[in-house]
Amino acid sequence: MVLALATGVALAQTDFRYISYQEGLEAAKAEGKLLFVDFYTEWCGPCKMMAREVFPQKEVGDYMNAKFVCLKIDAEKDEGVELAERYAVDAYPTFVIIGADEKEVGRLVGSSEAAAFIAEVDRMVDPEKSPERLRERYAGGERTAELVEAYAALLMSEAQAGRRWDTAKTEEAHRVVADYFRGLSDVDRLKEENVFIYTQYAESPSDELTRFLVEHRDAFPEEVQEELAERIAELYEQCIVGWFAGYEPFDAKAYGQAKQDIDLLGLNADGHYDVLYRFIECHAAGDLEAYLKLCEKKYKGLSESLKQNLMMGLPTLLDTDDQAVLKRASCFIRNQLKDMDLSLLSFIVMALQPIEEKIKVD
């Protein structure tokens, strides 16, 4: 039983082999696979994030183990120093895909989420998923789940490629997925091959993708229901925190629908949304003095992430020229300095500066 459980865990995550580079090449040749090398350093935060959050995921492991012999190589130790120089690695993490002839097939630099990571790797190793072929296939009218997922992922990757996020590319990717979704029957919308629509492109509780997901959540294949339940919870969390922190303009109708859905879905069984509701509704009422009083009373009881979100949102939430409100807000923020966590310092400074710039000096 222990052996079976151990084997199950190994199969559920990316199988990095602790062998040398040469041994990795020989194993890849023998197994008819490519060599995948994760160049990392001990001090690299994004490297640790990928190791902790992405490579252990089953979908990533299933994909990587089928196509690659995977190695982790510390670029600052032993053979890693020479290999990093040979493959011109100068940022971390850098993931290099290598063929049997030791020539580079492709590379990725930096961290990414699981779905984006798989899509990017797949485009490098599958000629039918090269950017040129994906565009040709889509323009030619192909509308399979595999093609739409890959083409939309390409557009999202291109949106992030420049120094500034390309919103036009992002909108195009979402439009491609929405058009595909609208062309499906309800039966096809429930198929496992189309789960990517909801996990990657549903954006808020009010969009058509999320509405369908919520209304048909029990009709999806059992194998994906847990993943979709997590996505539903994530979407409502993002929505409520968005209003709480002022990232999204308050919409009374959408807020009422979201609260109703959260109760229906049992997402507030532990009451953790109650304090967020109080903040949102108090601010929506328009009395900023009352809102600041609530901040003063409830701030210390918030989680660290909610404290960060609130601090970052205060300049927007307190967009007023009322000197009494601004001065009270300044005092509230400064009062947190004496016993604050150092990780919050940058957020408090970002909140304080735009508020105090509006305060008139007598």
Side-chain angles (χ1 to χ4, degrees), residues 262-329:
I262 286 170
D263 287 341
L264 175 67
L265 295 165
L267 298 178
N268 195 35
D270 60 358
H272 76 281
Y273 278 123
D274 291 347
V275 67
L276 299 184
Y277 293 159
R278 286 190 64 186
F279 272 90
I280 294 168
E281 291 166 14
C282 182
H283 186 271
D287 186 341
L288 294 183
E289 287 283 357
Y291 176 74
L292 278 169
K293 185 176 180 180
L294 180 64
C295 290
E296 292 161 355
K297 183 178 180 181
K298 294 294 185 181
Y299 178 81
K300 292 188 185 301
L302 298 175
S303 68
E304 292 304 302
S305 64
L306 288 177
K307 287 178 180 177
Q308 291 176 10
N309 280 297
L310 181 62
M311 283 296 173
M312 290 177 68
L314 279 178
T316 299
L317 292 163
L318 300 175
D319 184 16
T320 179
D321 292 320
D322 186 318
Q323 293 297 295
V325 169
L326 293 171
K327 289 176 181 178
R328 184 168 183 173

Coordinates of all heavy atoms in Angstrom, one line a residue, residues 262-329:
I262 N -23.0 33.7 -3.4 CA -22.1 33.2 -2.4 C -22.8 32.4 -1.3 O -22.4 31.3 -0.9 CB -21.3 34.4 -1.7 CG1 -20.2 34.9 -2.7 CG2 -20.6 34.0 -0.4 CD1 -19.6 36.2 -2.3
D263 N -24.0 32.9 -0.9 CA -24.8 32.1 0.0 C -25.3 30.8 -0.6 O -25.2 29.7 0.1 CB -26.0 33.0 0.5 CG -25.6 34.1 1.4 OD1 -24.5 34.0 2.0 OD2 -26.4 35.0 1.6
L264 N -25.8 30.8 -1.8 CA -26.2 29.7 -2.5 C -25.2 28.6 -2.6 O -25.4 27.4 -2.5 CB -26.8 30.0 -3.9 CG -27.2 28.9 -4.8 CD1 -28.5 28.2 -4.2 CD2 -27.5 29.4 -6.2
L265 N -23.9 29.0 -2.9 CA -22.8 28.1 -3.1 C -22.1 27.7 -1.8 O -21.2 26.9 -1.8 CB -21.8 28.8 -4.0 CG -22.3 29.1 -5.5 CD1 -21.3 30.0 -6.2 CD2 -22.4 27.8 -6.3
G266 N -22.6 28.3 -0.7 CA -22.0 27.9 0.6 C -20.6 28.4 0.7 O -19.8 27.9 1.5
L267 N -20.2 29.5 0.0 CA -18.8 30.0 0.1 C -18.6 30.9 1.3 O -17.4 31.3 1.6 CB -18.5 30.8 -1.2 CG -18.6 30.1 -2.5 CD1 -18.3 31.0 -3.7 CD2 -17.6 28.9 -2.5
N268 N -19.6 31.2 2.1 CA -19.4 32.0 3.3 C -19.9 31.3 4.5 O -20.3 31.9 5.5 CB -20.2 33.3 3.2 CG -19.8 34.4 4.2 OD1 -18.6 34.4 4.6 ND2 -20.8 35.1 4.7
A269 N -19.7 30.0 4.5 CA -20.2 29.1 5.6 C -19.4 29.5 6.9 O -20.0 29.4 8.0 CB -20.0 27.7 5.2
D270 N -18.2 29.9 6.7 CA -17.4 30.3 7.9 C -17.5 31.7 8.3 O -16.9 32.2 9.2 CB -15.9 29.9 7.7 CG -15.3 30.6 6.5 OD1 -16.0 31.3 5.9 OD2 -14.1 30.4 6.3
G271 N -18.3 32.5 7.5 CA -18.5 33.9 7.8 C -17.3 34.8 7.4 O -17.3 36.0 7.8
H272 N -16.3 34.3 6.7 CA -15.2 35.2 6.4 C -15.4 36.3 5.5 O -14.7 37.3 5.4 CB -14.0 34.3 5.9 CG -14.1 33.9 4.4 ND1 -15.0 32.9 4.0 CD2 -13.6 34.5 3.3 CE1 -14.9 32.8 2.7 NE2 -14.0 33.7 2.2
Y273 N -16.6 36.3 4.8 CA -16.9 37.5 3.9 C -17.6 38.6 4.7 O -17.8 39.7 4.2 CB -17.8 37.0 2.8 CG -17.1 36.4 1.6 CD1 -17.4 35.1 1.2 CD2 -16.1 37.1 0.9 CE1 -16.7 34.6 0.1 CE2 -15.4 36.6 -0.2 CZ -15.7 35.3 -0.6 OH -15.1 34.7 -1.6
D274 N -18.1 38.3 5.9 CA -19.0 39.2 6.6 C -18.3 40.6 6.8 O -18.9 41.6 6.6 CB -19.4 38.6 8.0 CG -20.4 37.5 7.8 OD1 -20.9 37.3 6.7 OD2 -20.6 36.7 8.8
V275 N -17.0 40.6 7.2 CA -16.3 41.8 7.5 C -16.1 42.6 6.2 O -16.2 43.8 6.1 CB -15.0 41.6 8.2 CG1 -14.0 40.8 7.3 CG2 -14.4 42.9 8.7
L276 N -15.9 41.9 5.1 CA -15.7 42.5 3.8 C -17.0 43.2 3.3 O -17.0 44.3 2.8 CB -15.2 41.5 2.7 CG -13.9 40.8 3.0 CD1 -13.5 39.9 1.8 CD2 -12.8 41.8 3.2
Y277 N -18.1 42.5 3.6 CA -19.4 43.1 3.3 C -19.6 44.4 4.0 O -20.1 45.4 3.5 CB -20.6 42.1 3.7 CG -20.7 40.8 2.9 CD1 -21.3 39.7 3.4 CD2 -20.1 40.7 1.6 CE1 -21.4 38.5 2.7 CE2 -20.2 39.6 0.9 CZ -20.9 38.5 1.4 OH -21.0 37.3 0.7
R278 N -19.2 44.4 5.3 CA -19.4 45.6 6.1 C -18.6 46.8 5.5 O -19.1 47.9 5.4 CB -18.9 45.4 7.5 CG -19.9 44.5 8.4 CD -19.5 44.5 9.8 NE -19.6 45.9 10.4 CZ -19.2 46.2 11.6 NH1 -18.7 45.2 12.4 NH2 -19.4 47.4 12.1
F279 N -17.4 46.5 5.1 CA -16.5 47.6 4.5 C -17.2 48.1 3.2 O -17.3 49.3 3.0 CB -15.1 47.0 4.2 CG -14.2 47.1 5.4 CD1 -14.0 46.1 6.3 CD2 -13.4 48.3 5.5 CE1 -13.1 46.2 7.3 CE2 -12.5 48.4 6.5 CZ -12.4 47.4 7.5
I280 N -17.5 47.1 2.3 CA -18.1 47.5 1.0 C -19.4 48.3 1.2 O -19.5 49.4 0.5 CB -18.4 46.2 0.2 CG1 -17.1 45.5 -0.2 CG2 -19.2 46.6 -1.1 CD1 -17.2 44.1 -0.7
E281 N -20.3 47.8 2.0 CA -21.6 48.5 2.2 C -21.4 49.9 2.9 O -22.1 50.8 2.6 CB -22.5 47.6 2.9 CG -22.9 46.4 2.1 CD -23.6 45.3 2.9 OE1 -24.0 45.5 4.0 OE2 -23.7 44.2 2.4
C282 N -20.5 50.0 3.8 CA -20.3 51.2 4.5 C -19.7 52.3 3.5 O -20.2 53.4 3.5 CB -19.3 51.0 5.7 SG -19.0 52.5 6.6
H283 N -18.8 51.9 2.7 CA -18.2 52.8 1.7 C -19.3 53.2 0.7 O -19.4 54.4 0.3 CB -17.0 52.2 1.0 CG -16.3 53.2 0.1 ND1 -16.6 53.3 -1.2 CD2 -15.3 54.1 0.4 CE1 -15.9 54.2 -1.8 NE2 -15.1 54.7 -0.8
A284 N -20.1 52.2 0.3 CA -21.1 52.5 -0.8 C -22.2 53.5 -0.2 O -22.8 54.2 -1.0 CB -21.8 51.2 -1.2
A285 N -22.3 53.5 1.1 CA -23.3 54.4 1.6 C -22.9 55.9 1.5 O -23.7 56.8 1.6 CB -23.6 54.1 3.1
G286 N -21.6 56.1 1.3 CA -21.1 57.5 1.0 C -20.6 58.3 2.1 O -20.2 59.4 2.0
D287 N -20.7 57.8 3.4 CA -20.3 58.5 4.5 C -18.8 58.1 4.8 O -18.5 57.1 5.5 CB -21.1 58.2 5.7 CG -20.8 59.0 7.0 OD1 -19.7 59.6 7.0 OD2 -21.7 59.1 7.9
L288 N -17.8 58.9 4.3 CA -16.4 58.6 4.5 C -15.9 58.6 5.9 O -15.0 57.9 6.3 CB -15.6 59.5 3.6 CG -15.8 59.3 2.1 CD1 -14.9 60.2 1.3 CD2 -15.6 57.8 1.7
E289 N -16.6 59.5 6.7 CA -16.2 59.5 8.2 C -16.5 58.2 8.8 O -15.8 57.6 9.6 CB -16.9 60.7 8.9 CG -16.4 62.1 8.5 CD -15.1 62.4 9.2 OE1 -14.6 61.6 10.0 OE2 -14.5 63.5 9.0
A290 N -17.7 57.7 8.5 CA -18.2 56.4 9.1 C -17.3 55.3 8.5 O -16.9 54.3 9.3 CB -19.6 56.1 8.7
Y291 N -16.9 55.4 7.3 CA -16.0 54.4 6.7 C -14.7 54.4 7.4 O -14.1 53.3 7.7 CB -15.9 54.7 5.2 CG -14.9 53.7 4.5 CD1 -15.3 52.4 4.2 CD2 -13.6 54.2 4.1 CE1 -14.4 51.5 3.6 CE2 -12.7 53.3 3.5 CZ -13.1 52.0 3.2 OH -12.3 51.1 2.6
L292 N -14.1 55.5 7.6 CA -12.8 55.6 8.3 C -12.9 55.1 9.7 O -12.0 54.4 10.2 CB -12.3 57.0 8.3 CG -11.5 57.4 7.0 CD1 -11.3 58.9 7.0 CD2 -10.2 56.7 6.8
K293 N -14.0 55.3 10.3 CA -14.2 54.8 11.7 C -14.2 53.3 11.7 O -13.6 52.6 12.6 CB -15.5 55.3 12.3 CG -15.8 54.9 13.7 CD -17.1 55.5 14.2 CE -17.3 55.1 15.7 NZ -18.6 55.8 16.2
L294 N -14.8 52.7 10.6 CA -14.8 51.2 10.5 C -13.4 50.7 10.2 O -13.0 49.7 10.8 CB -15.7 50.8 9.3 CG -15.8 49.3 9.0 CD1 -16.5 48.6 10.2 CD2 -16.7 49.1 7.8
C295 N -12.6 51.4 9.4 CA -11.2 51.1 9.2 C -10.4 51.0 10.5 O -9.7 50.1 10.7 CB -10.6 52.0 8.2 SG -11.2 52.0 6.5
E296 N -10.6 52.1 11.3 CA -9.9 52.2 12.6 C -10.3 51.0 13.5 O -9.4 50.5 14.2 CB -10.2 53.5 13.2 CG -9.7 54.7 12.5 CD -10.3 56.0 12.8 OE1 -11.3 56.0 13.6 OE2 -9.9 57.1 12.3
K297 N -11.5 50.6 13.4 CA -12.0 49.6 14.3 C -11.6 48.2 13.9 O -11.3 47.3 14.7 CB -13.5 49.7 14.5 CG -14.1 48.7 15.4 CD -15.7 48.9 15.5 CE -16.3 47.9 16.5 NZ -17.8 48.1 16.6
K298 N -11.6 47.9 12.6 CA -11.5 46.5 12.1 C -10.2 46.2 11.4 O -9.9 45.0 11.1 CB -12.6 46.3 11.1 CG -14.0 46.3 11.7 CD -14.2 45.1 12.6 CE -15.7 45.0 13.1 NZ -15.8 43.9 14.1
Y299 N -9.3 47.2 11.2 CA -8.1 47.0 10.4 C -7.2 45.9 11.1 O -6.8 45.0 10.4 CB -7.3 48.3 10.3 CG -6.0 48.1 9.6 CD1 -5.9 48.1 8.2 CD2 -4.8 48.0 10.3 CE1 -4.7 48.0 7.6 CE2 -3.6 47.8 9.7 CZ -3.6 47.8 8.3 OH -2.4 47.7 7.6
K300 N -7.0 46.0 12.3 CA -6.1 45.0 13.0 C -6.5 43.6 12.9 O -5.7 42.6 13.0 CB -5.8 45.4 14.4 CG -5.0 46.7 14.6 CD -4.6 47.0 16.0 CE -3.9 48.3 16.1 NZ -2.7 48.5 15.3
G301 N -7.8 43.4 12.7 CA -8.3 42.0 12.7 C -8.3 41.4 11.3 O -8.6 40.2 11.1
L302 N -7.9 42.2 10.3 CA -7.8 41.7 8.9 C -6.6 40.8 8.7 O -5.6 41.0 9.4 CB -7.8 42.9 7.9 CG -9.0 43.8 7.9 CD1 -8.7 45.0 6.9 CD2 -10.2 43.1 7.4
S303 N -6.7 39.9 7.7 CA -5.5 39.2 7.3 C -4.4 40.1 6.7 O -4.7 41.2 6.3 CB -5.9 38.1 6.4 OG -6.2 38.6 5.1
E304 N -3.2 39.6 6.6 CA -2.1 40.4 6.0 C -2.5 40.8 4.6 O -2.2 41.9 4.2 CB -0.8 39.7 6.1 CG -0.3 39.5 7.5 CD -0.1 40.8 8.3 OE1 0.6 41.7 7.8 OE2 -0.8 41.0 9.3
S305 N -3.0 39.9 3.8 CA -3.3 40.2 2.4 C -4.4 41.2 2.3 O -4.3 42.1 1.4 CB -3.7 38.9 1.7 OG -4.9 38.3 2.2
L306 N -5.4 41.1 3.2 CA -6.5 42.1 3.2 C -6.0 43.5 3.6 O -6.4 44.5 3.1 CB -7.7 41.7 4.0 CG -8.5 40.5 3.5 CD1 -9.6 40.1 4.4 CD2 -9.1 40.9 2.1
K307 N -5.1 43.5 4.6 CA -4.5 44.8 5.0 C -3.7 45.4 3.8 O -3.9 46.6 3.5 CB -3.5 44.6 6.1 CG -4.1 44.3 7.5 CD -3.1 44.0 8.5 CE -3.7 43.7 9.9 NZ -2.7 43.4 10.9
Q308 N -3.0 44.6 3.0 CA -2.3 45.1 1.9 C -3.3 45.7 0.8 O -3.1 46.8 0.3 CB -1.5 44.0 1.2 CG -0.3 43.6 2.1 CD 0.4 42.4 1.4 OE1 0.2 42.0 0.3 NE2 1.4 41.8 2.2
N309 N -4.3 44.9 0.6 CA -5.3 45.4 -0.4 C -6.0 46.6 0.0 O -6.2 47.5 -0.8 CB -6.4 44.3 -0.6 CG -5.9 43.2 -1.6 OD1 -5.6 43.4 -2.7 ND2 -5.7 42.0 -1.1
L310 N -6.3 46.7 1.3 CA -7.0 47.9 1.8 C -6.1 49.2 1.7 O -6.5 50.2 1.2 CB -7.4 47.8 3.3 CG -8.2 49.0 3.9 CD1 -9.5 49.2 3.1 CD2 -8.4 48.7 5.4
M311 N -4.8 49.0 2.1 CA -3.9 50.1 2.0 C -3.7 50.6 0.6 O -3.7 51.8 0.3 CB -2.5 49.7 2.6 CG -2.5 49.7 4.1 SD -2.9 51.4 4.8 CE -3.0 51.1 6.5
M312 N -3.6 49.6 -0.3 CA -3.4 50.0 -1.8 C -4.6 50.7 -2.3 O -4.5 51.5 -3.2 CB -3.0 48.7 -2.6 CG -1.7 48.2 -2.3 SD -1.3 46.6 -3.2 CE -1.2 47.3 -4.8
G313 N -5.8 50.3 -1.8 CA -7.0 50.9 -2.3 C -7.4 52.2 -1.7 O -8.3 52.9 -2.3
L314 N -6.9 52.6 -0.6 CA -7.4 53.8 0.1 C -7.3 55.1 -0.7 O -8.3 55.9 -0.6 CB -6.6 53.9 1.5 CG -7.2 53.1 2.6 CD1 -6.3 53.3 3.9 CD2 -8.6 53.4 2.9
P315 N -6.3 55.3 -1.5 CA -6.3 56.5 -2.3 C -7.5 56.6 -3.2 O -8.0 57.7 -3.5 CB -4.9 56.5 -3.0 CG -4.1 55.7 -2.1 CD -5.0 54.6 -1.6
T316 N -7.9 55.5 -3.7 CA -9.1 55.5 -4.6 C -10.3 55.5 -3.8 O -11.3 56.3 -4.1 CB -9.1 54.2 -5.5 OG1 -7.9 54.1 -6.3 CG2 -10.3 54.1 -6.4
L317 N -10.4 54.8 -2.7 CA -11.6 54.8 -1.9 C -11.9 56.1 -1.2 O -13.0 56.5 -0.9 CB -11.5 53.7 -0.8 CG -11.5 52.2 -1.4 CD1 -10.9 51.3 -0.3 CD2 -12.9 51.8 -1.8
L318 N -10.8 56.9 -1.0 CA -10.9 58.2 -0.3 C -10.6 59.3 -1.3 O -9.9 60.2 -1.0 CB -10.0 58.2 0.9 CG -10.3 57.2 2.0 CD1 -9.2 57.2 3.1 CD2 -11.7 57.3 2.6
D319 N -11.1 59.2 -2.5 CA -10.9 60.2 -3.5 C -11.8 61.4 -3.2 O -12.9 61.5 -3.7 CB -11.3 59.6 -4.9 CG -11.0 60.6 -6.0 OD1 -10.2 61.5 -5.8 OD2 -11.5 60.4 -7.1
T320 N -11.3 62.3 -2.3 CA -12.1 63.4 -1.9 C -11.2 64.6 -1.6 O -10.0 64.4 -1.4 CB -12.9 63.1 -0.6 OG1 -13.6 64.2 -0.2 CG2 -12.0 62.6 0.5
D321 N -11.7 65.8 -1.6 CA -10.9 66.9 -1.2 C -11.3 67.4 0.2 O -10.9 68.4 0.7 CB -11.1 68.1 -2.2 CG -10.5 67.8 -3.5 OD1 -9.4 67.2 -3.5 OD2 -11.1 68.1 -4.6
D322 N -12.2 66.6 0.9 CA -12.6 67.0 2.2 C -11.4 66.9 3.2 O -10.9 65.8 3.4 CB -13.7 66.0 2.7 CG -14.4 66.3 4.0 OD1 -13.6 66.7 4.9 OD2 -15.6 66.2 4.1
Q323 N -11.0 68.0 3.7 CA -9.8 68.1 4.5 C -9.9 67.3 5.8 O -8.9 66.6 6.2 CB -9.4 69.5 4.8 CG -9.0 70.3 3.6 CD -7.8 69.8 2.9 OE1 -6.7 69.9 3.5 NE2 -7.9 69.3 1.7
A324 N -11.1 67.3 6.4 CA -11.3 66.5 7.6 C -11.1 65.0 7.4 O -10.4 64.3 8.1 CB -12.6 66.8 8.2
V325 N -11.6 64.5 6.3 CA -11.5 63.1 5.9 C -10.0 62.8 5.6 O -9.5 61.7 6.0 CB -12.4 62.8 4.7 CG1 -12.1 61.4 4.2 CG2 -13.9 62.9 5.1
L326 N -9.4 63.6 4.8 CA -8.0 63.4 4.4 C -7.1 63.3 5.7 O -6.2 62.5 5.8 CB -7.5 64.4 3.4 CG -8.2 64.4 2.1 CD1 -7.8 65.6 1.2 CD2 -7.8 63.1 1.3
K327 N -7.3 64.3 6.6 CA -6.4 64.3 7.8 C -6.7 63.1 8.7 O -5.7 62.5 9.2 CB -6.7 65.6 8.6 CG -6.1 66.8 7.8 CD -6.5 68.1 8.6 CE -6.0 69.3 7.8 NZ -6.4 70.6 8.5
R328 N -7.9 62.7 8.8 CA -8.2 61.5 9.6 C -7.6 60.3 8.9 O -7.1 59.4 9.6 CB -9.8 61.3 9.7 CG -10.1 60.2 10.6 CD -11.6 60.2 11.0 NE -12.0 59.1 11.9 CZ -13.1 59.0 12.5 NH1 -14.1 59.9 12.3 NH2 -13.4 58.0 13.3
A329 N -7.7 60.2 7.6 CA -7.1 59.1 6.9 C -5.6 59.0 7.1 O -5.0 58.0 7.3 CB -7.4 59.2 5.4

